[in-house]
PDB file of all heavy atoms in Angstrom:
ATOM      1  N   GLU A 233      75.745  86.911  95.741  1.00  0.00           N
ATOM      2  CA  GLU A 233      74.519  86.902  96.502  1.00  0.00           C
ATOM      3  C   GLU A 233      74.374  88.133  97.408  1.00  0.00           C
ATOM      4  O   GLU A 233      73.326  88.755  97.510  1.00  0.00           O
ATOM      5  CB  GLU A 233      74.435  85.623  97.371  1.00  0.00           C
ATOM      6  CG  GLU A 233      74.264  84.359  96.601  1.00  0.00           C
ATOM      7  CD  GLU A 233      75.567  83.895  95.918  1.00  0.00           C
ATOM      8  OE1 GLU A 233      76.644  84.348  96.294  1.00  0.00           O
ATOM      9  OE2 GLU A 233      75.432  83.050  94.981  1.00  0.00           O
ATOM     10  N   THR A 234      75.512  88.501  98.049  1.00  0.00           N
ATOM     11  CA  THR A 234      75.503  89.677  98.892  1.00  0.00           C
ATOM     12  C   THR A 234      75.291  90.947  98.033  1.00  0.00           C
ATOM     13  O   THR A 234      74.524  91.880  98.431  1.00  0.00           O
ATOM     14  CB  THR A 234      76.798  89.808  99.657  1.00  0.00           C
ATOM     15  OG1 THR A 234      76.990  88.577 100.438  1.00  0.00           O
ATOM     16  CG2 THR A 234      76.806  90.975 100.628  1.00  0.00           C
ATOM     17  N   VAL A 235      75.965  91.016  96.916  1.00  0.00           N
ATOM     18  CA  VAL A 235      75.797  92.169  96.010  1.00  0.00           C
ATOM     19  C   VAL A 235      74.332  92.334  95.609  1.00  0.00           C
ATOM     20  O   VAL A 235      73.761  93.406  95.658  1.00  0.00           O
ATOM     21  CB  VAL A 235      76.674  91.975  94.700  1.00  0.00           C
ATOM     22  CG1 VAL A 235      76.279  92.998  93.657  1.00  0.00           C
ATOM     23  CG2 VAL A 235      78.146  92.175  95.120  1.00  0.00           C
ATOM     24  N   ASN A 236      73.708  91.207  95.289  1.00  0.00           N
ATOM     25  CA  ASN A 236      72.287  91.211  94.892  1.00  0.00           C
ATOM     26  C   ASN A 236      71.408  91.763  96.021  1.00  0.00           C
ATOM     27  O   ASN A 236      70.491  92.583  95.818  1.00  0.00           O
ATOM     28  CB  ASN A 236      71.848  89.881  94.432  1.00  0.00           C
ATOM     29  CG  ASN A 236      70.400  89.881  93.980  1.00  0.00           C
ATOM     30  OD1 ASN A 236      70.040  90.586  93.014  1.00  0.00           O
ATOM     31  ND2 ASN A 236      69.547  89.132  94.664  1.00  0.00           N
ATOM     32  N   MET A 237      71.710  91.305  97.251  1.00  0.00           N
ATOM     33  CA  MET A 237      70.937  91.744  98.433  1.00  0.00           C
ATOM     34  C   MET A 237      71.132  93.223  98.689  1.00  0.00           C
ATOM     35  O   MET A 237      70.204  93.967  98.937  1.00  0.00           O
ATOM     36  CB  MET A 237      71.366  90.945  99.693  1.00  0.00           C
ATOM     37  CG  MET A 237      70.631  91.310 100.946  1.00  0.00           C
ATOM     38  SD  MET A 237      71.291  92.785 101.832  1.00  0.00           S
ATOM     39  CE  MET A 237      72.888  92.135 102.346  1.00  0.00           C
ATOM     40  N   LEU A 238      72.379  93.707  98.584  1.00  0.00           N
ATOM     41  CA  LEU A 238      72.688  95.109  98.838  1.00  0.00           C
ATOM     42  C   LEU A 238      71.978  95.994  97.813  1.00  0.00           C
ATOM     43  O   LEU A 238      71.591  97.134  98.149  1.00  0.00           O
ATOM     44  CB  LEU A 238      74.184  95.340  98.808  1.00  0.00           C
ATOM     45  CG  LEU A 238      74.977  94.696  99.949  1.00  0.00           C
ATOM     46  CD1 LEU A 238      76.484  94.976  99.773  1.00  0.00           C
ATOM     47  CD2 LEU A 238      74.484  95.192 101.336  1.00  0.00           C
ATOM     48  N   HIS A 239      71.841  95.497  96.621  1.00  0.00           N
ATOM     49  CA  HIS A 239      71.139  96.307  95.595  1.00  0.00           C
ATOM     50  C   HIS A 239      69.614  96.188  95.723  1.00  0.00           C
ATOM     51  O   HIS A 239      68.940  97.246  95.755  1.00  0.00           O
ATOM     52  CB  HIS A 239      71.547  95.867  94.214  1.00  0.00           C
ATOM     53  CG  HIS A 239      70.794  96.581  93.094  1.00  0.00           C
ATOM     54  ND1 HIS A 239      70.784  97.964  92.960  1.00  0.00           N
ATOM     55  CD2 HIS A 239      69.994  96.102  92.124  1.00  0.00           C
ATOM     56  CE1 HIS A 239      70.037  98.289  91.945  1.00  0.00           C
ATOM     57  NE2 HIS A 239      69.513  97.186  91.424  1.00  0.00           N
ATOM     58  N   THR A 240      69.078  94.995  95.829  1.00  0.00           N
ATOM     59  CA  THR A 240      67.613  94.810  95.798  1.00  0.00           C
ATOM     60  C   THR A 240      66.959  95.246  97.140  1.00  0.00           C
ATOM     61  O   THR A 240      65.909  95.816  97.149  1.00  0.00           O
ATOM     62  CB  THR A 240      67.254  93.389  95.462  1.00  0.00           C
ATOM     63  OG1 THR A 240      67.830  92.521  96.405  1.00  0.00           O
ATOM     64  CG2 THR A 240      67.735  93.031  94.038  1.00  0.00           C
ATOM     65  N   GLU A 241      67.629  94.925  98.276  1.00  0.00           N
ATOM     66  CA  GLU A 241      67.018  95.166  99.539  1.00  0.00           C
ATOM     67  C   GLU A 241      67.357  96.523 100.126  1.00  0.00           C
ATOM     68  O   GLU A 241      66.559  97.102 100.831  1.00  0.00           O
ATOM     69  CB  GLU A 241      67.448  94.087 100.576  1.00  0.00           C
ATOM     70  CG  GLU A 241      66.876  92.687 100.313  1.00  0.00           C
ATOM     71  CD  GLU A 241      67.232  91.683 101.376  1.00  0.00           C
ATOM     72  OE1 GLU A 241      67.476  92.106 102.524  1.00  0.00           O
ATOM     73  OE2 GLU A 241      67.228  90.490 101.058  1.00  0.00           O
ATOM     74  N   MET A 242      68.593  97.015  99.784  1.00  0.00           N
ATOM     75  CA  MET A 242      69.038  98.295 100.344  1.00  0.00           C
ATOM     76  C   MET A 242      69.223  99.385  99.350  1.00  0.00           C
ATOM     77  O   MET A 242      69.645 100.482  99.717  1.00  0.00           O
ATOM     78  CB  MET A 242      70.348  98.046 101.146  1.00  0.00           C
ATOM     79  CG  MET A 242      70.182  97.035 102.317  1.00  0.00           C
ATOM     80  SD  MET A 242      71.607  97.023 103.459  1.00  0.00           S
ATOM     81  CE  MET A 242      71.365  98.609 104.290  1.00  0.00           C
ATOM     82  N   ASP A 243      68.987  99.080  98.075  1.00  0.00           N
ATOM     83  CA  ASP A 243      69.042 100.104  97.002  1.00  0.00           C
ATOM     84  C   ASP A 243      70.404 100.713  96.904  1.00  0.00           C
ATOM     85  O   ASP A 243      70.593 101.885  96.630  1.00  0.00           O
ATOM     86  CB  ASP A 243      67.988 101.183  97.247  1.00  0.00           C
ATOM     87  CG  ASP A 243      67.772 102.116  96.034  1.00  0.00           C
ATOM     88  OD1 ASP A 243      67.976 101.601  94.917  1.00  0.00           O
ATOM     89  OD2 ASP A 243      67.519 103.283  96.249  1.00  0.00           O
ATOM     90  N   GLY A 244      71.478  99.878  97.110  1.00  0.00           N
ATOM     91  CA  GLY A 244      72.827 100.412  97.084  1.00  0.00           C
ATOM     92  C   GLY A 244      73.352 100.599  95.669  1.00  0.00           C
ATOM     93  O   GLY A 244      72.974  99.841  94.761  1.00  0.00           O
ATOM     94  N   ALA A 245      74.187 101.600  95.531  1.00  0.00           N
ATOM     95  CA  ALA A 245      74.902 101.796  94.287  1.00  0.00           C
ATOM     96  C   ALA A 245      76.270 101.160  94.302  1.00  0.00           C
ATOM     97  O   ALA A 245      76.762 100.543  93.357  1.00  0.00           O
ATOM     98  CB  ALA A 245      75.034 103.306  93.920  1.00  0.00           C
ATOM     99  N   CYS A 246      76.952 101.279  95.490  1.00  0.00           N
ATOM    100  CA  CYS A 246      78.259 100.691  95.656  1.00  0.00           C
ATOM    101  C   CYS A 246      78.495 100.362  97.098  1.00  0.00           C
ATOM    102  O   CYS A 246      77.767 100.817  98.001  1.00  0.00           O
ATOM    103  CB  CYS A 246      79.376 101.627  95.161  1.00  0.00           C
ATOM    104  SG  CYS A 246      79.584 103.140  96.136  1.00  0.00           S
ATOM    105  N   ALA A 247      79.485  99.510  97.357  1.00  0.00           N
ATOM    106  CA  ALA A 247      79.834  99.099  98.707  1.00  0.00           C
ATOM    107  C   ALA A 247      81.270  99.413  98.992  1.00  0.00           C
ATOM    108  O   ALA A 247      82.146  99.151  98.170  1.00  0.00           O
ATOM    109  CB  ALA A 247      79.551  97.608  98.896  1.00  0.00           C
ATOM    110  N   GLU A 248      81.575  99.934 100.182  1.00  0.00           N
ATOM    111  CA  GLU A 248      82.918 100.267 100.603  1.00  0.00           C
ATOM    112  C   GLU A 248      82.965 100.192 102.126  1.00  0.00           C
ATOM    113  O   GLU A 248      82.071  99.618 102.722  1.00  0.00           O
ATOM    114  CB  GLU A 248      83.389 101.600 100.032  1.00  0.00           C
ATOM    115  CG  GLU A 248      82.305 102.676  99.972  1.00  0.00           C
ATOM    116  CD  GLU A 248      82.172 103.460 101.247  1.00  0.00           C
ATOM    117  OE1 GLU A 248      81.759 102.856 102.276  1.00  0.00           O
ATOM    118  OE2 GLU A 248      82.488 104.666 101.277  1.00  0.00           O
ATOM    119  N   MET A 249      84.007 100.778 102.776  1.00  0.00           N
ATOM    120  CA  MET A 249      84.234 100.522 104.175  1.00  0.00           C
ATOM    121  C   MET A 249      84.356 101.772 105.053  1.00  0.00           C
ATOM    122  O   MET A 249      84.719 101.622 106.191  1.00  0.00           O
ATOM    123  CB  MET A 249      85.491  99.619 104.333  1.00  0.00           C
ATOM    124  CG  MET A 249      85.394  98.316 103.617  1.00  0.00           C
ATOM    125  SD  MET A 249      86.852  97.280 103.659  1.00  0.00           S
ATOM    126  CE  MET A 249      86.755  96.689 105.328  1.00  0.00           C
ATOM    127  N   GLU A 250      84.097 102.953 104.510  1.00  0.00           N
ATOM    128  CA  GLU A 250      84.288 104.156 105.301  1.00  0.00           C
ATOM    129  C   GLU A 250      83.186 105.247 105.156  1.00  0.00           C
ATOM    130  O   GLU A 250      82.951 105.999 106.112  1.00  0.00           O
ATOM    131  CB  GLU A 250      85.647 104.837 104.911  1.00  0.00           C
ATOM    132  CG  GLU A 250      86.872 104.029 105.169  1.00  0.00           C
ATOM    133  CD  GLU A 250      87.199 103.046 104.094  1.00  0.00           C
ATOM    134  OE1 GLU A 250      86.824 103.309 102.909  1.00  0.00           O
ATOM    135  OE2 GLU A 250      87.857 102.042 104.339  1.00  0.00           O
ATOM    136  N   GLY A 251      82.593 105.353 104.008  1.00  0.00           N
ATOM    137  CA  GLY A 251      81.758 106.494 103.686  1.00  0.00           C
ATOM    138  C   GLY A 251      80.681 106.841 104.690  1.00  0.00           C
ATOM    139  O   GLY A 251      80.463 107.990 105.054  1.00  0.00           O
ATOM    140  N   ALA A 252      79.932 105.835 105.125  1.00  0.00           N
ATOM    141  CA  ALA A 252      78.816 106.103 106.076  1.00  0.00           C
ATOM    142  C   ALA A 252      79.301 106.612 107.420  1.00  0.00           C
ATOM    143  O   ALA A 252      78.596 107.324 108.141  1.00  0.00           O
ATOM    144  CB  ALA A 252      77.973 104.861 106.238  1.00  0.00           C
ATOM    145  N   ALA A 253      80.527 106.186 107.834  1.00  0.00           N
ATOM    146  CA  ALA A 253      81.074 106.665 109.099  1.00  0.00           C
ATOM    147  C   ALA A 253      81.417 108.164 108.976  1.00  0.00           C
ATOM    148  O   ALA A 253      81.144 108.948 109.839  1.00  0.00           O
ATOM    149  CB  ALA A 253      82.307 105.866 109.490  1.00  0.00           C
ATOM    150  N   VAL A 254      82.096 108.521 107.836  1.00  0.00           N
ATOM    151  CA  VAL A 254      82.388 109.908 107.564  1.00  0.00           C
ATOM    152  C   VAL A 254      81.071 110.711 107.541  1.00  0.00           C
ATOM    153  O   VAL A 254      80.977 111.812 108.121  1.00  0.00           O
ATOM    154  CB  VAL A 254      83.119 110.068 106.193  1.00  0.00           C
ATOM    155  CG1 VAL A 254      83.294 111.555 105.815  1.00  0.00           C
ATOM    156  CG2 VAL A 254      84.463 109.374 106.255  1.00  0.00           C
ATOM    157  N   ALA A 255      80.076 110.166 106.859  1.00  0.00           N
ATOM    158  CA  ALA A 255      78.815 110.858 106.678  1.00  0.00           C
ATOM    159  C   ALA A 255      78.113 111.089 108.044  1.00  0.00           C
ATOM    160  O   ALA A 255      77.547 112.174 108.307  1.00  0.00           O
ATOM    161  CB  ALA A 255      77.893 110.021 105.785  1.00  0.00           C
ATOM    162  N   GLN A 256      78.111 110.057 108.888  1.00  0.00           N
ATOM    163  CA  GLN A 256      77.444 110.222 110.172  1.00  0.00           C
ATOM    164  C   GLN A 256      78.143 111.273 111.088  1.00  0.00           C
ATOM    165  O   GLN A 256      77.427 112.088 111.707  1.00  0.00           O
ATOM    166  CB  GLN A 256      77.416 108.894 110.950  1.00  0.00           C
ATOM    167  CG  GLN A 256      76.667 108.959 112.267  1.00  0.00           C
ATOM    168  CD  GLN A 256      76.490 107.594 112.940  1.00  0.00           C
ATOM    169  OE1 GLN A 256      76.701 106.557 112.329  1.00  0.00           O
ATOM    170  NE2 GLN A 256      76.052 107.621 114.187  1.00  0.00           N
ATOM    171  N   VAL A 257      79.427 111.267 111.096  1.00  0.00           N
ATOM    172  CA  VAL A 257      80.170 112.285 111.860  1.00  0.00           C
ATOM    173  C   VAL A 257      79.897 113.681 111.332  1.00  0.00           C
ATOM    174  O   VAL A 257      79.662 114.638 112.078  1.00  0.00           O
ATOM    175  CB  VAL A 257      81.690 111.991 111.874  1.00  0.00           C
ATOM    176  CG1 VAL A 257      82.470 113.148 112.551  1.00  0.00           C
ATOM    177  CG2 VAL A 257      81.949 110.690 112.616  1.00  0.00           C
ATOM    178  N   CYS A 258      79.918 113.833 109.982  1.00  0.00           N
ATOM    179  CA  CYS A 258      79.597 115.147 109.389  1.00  0.00           C
ATOM    180  C   CYS A 258      78.160 115.567 109.735  1.00  0.00           C
ATOM    181  O   CYS A 258      77.949 116.722 110.045  1.00  0.00           O
ATOM    182  CB  CYS A 258      79.814 115.061 107.913  1.00  0.00           C
ATOM    183  SG  CYS A 258      81.547 115.043 107.362  1.00  0.00           S
ATOM    184  N   TYR A 259      77.291 114.638 109.643  1.00  0.00           N
ATOM    185  CA  TYR A 259      75.867 114.930 109.957  1.00  0.00           C
ATOM    186  C   TYR A 259      75.703 115.394 111.386  1.00  0.00           C
ATOM    187  O   TYR A 259      75.001 116.364 111.703  1.00  0.00           O
ATOM    188  CB  TYR A 259      75.016 113.678 109.692  1.00  0.00           C
ATOM    189  CG  TYR A 259      73.551 113.823 110.009  1.00  0.00           C
ATOM    190  CD1 TYR A 259      72.638 114.388 109.075  1.00  0.00           C
ATOM    191  CD2 TYR A 259      73.058 113.430 111.239  1.00  0.00           C
ATOM    192  CE1 TYR A 259      71.315 114.523 109.401  1.00  0.00           C
ATOM    193  CE2 TYR A 259      71.706 113.553 111.566  1.00  0.00           C
ATOM    194  CZ  TYR A 259      70.827 114.089 110.634  1.00  0.00           C
ATOM    195  OH  TYR A 259      69.522 114.249 110.908  1.00  0.00           O
ATOM    196  N   MET A 260      76.360 114.718 112.315  1.00  0.00           N
ATOM    197  CA  MET A 260      76.272 115.058 113.718  1.00  0.00           C
ATOM    198  C   MET A 260      76.862 116.431 113.990  1.00  0.00           C
ATOM    199  O   MET A 260      76.452 117.098 114.943  1.00  0.00           O
ATOM    200  CB  MET A 260      76.953 113.974 114.561  1.00  0.00           C
ATOM    201  CG  MET A 260      76.210 112.626 114.535  1.00  0.00           C
ATOM    202  SD  MET A 260      77.195 111.275 115.219  1.00  0.00           S
ATOM    203  CE  MET A 260      77.065 111.689 116.996  1.00  0.00           C
ATOM    204  N   ASN A 261      77.847 116.846 113.206  1.00  0.00           N
ATOM    205  CA  ASN A 261      78.519 118.144 113.405  1.00  0.00           C
ATOM    206  C   ASN A 261      78.030 119.228 112.461  1.00  0.00           C
ATOM    207  O   ASN A 261      78.511 120.331 112.452  1.00  0.00           O
ATOM    208  CB  ASN A 261      80.035 117.969 113.204  1.00  0.00           C
ATOM    209  CG  ASN A 261      80.707 117.226 114.356  1.00  0.00           C
ATOM    210  OD1 ASN A 261      81.069 117.819 115.348  1.00  0.00           O
ATOM    211  ND2 ASN A 261      80.874 115.890 114.196  1.00  0.00           N
TER     212      ASN A 261
END
Side-chain angles (χ1 to χ4, degrees):
E233 292 76 19
T234 304
V235 167
N236 183 62
M237 180 277 293
L238 293 177
H239 175 59
T240 58
E241 293 185 23
M242 301 192 72
D243 192 31
C246 67
E248 37 86 294
M249 301 176 75
E250 297 85 25
V254 174
Q256 183 172 348
V257 173
C258 286
Y259 178 85
M260 293 168 73
N261 288 275

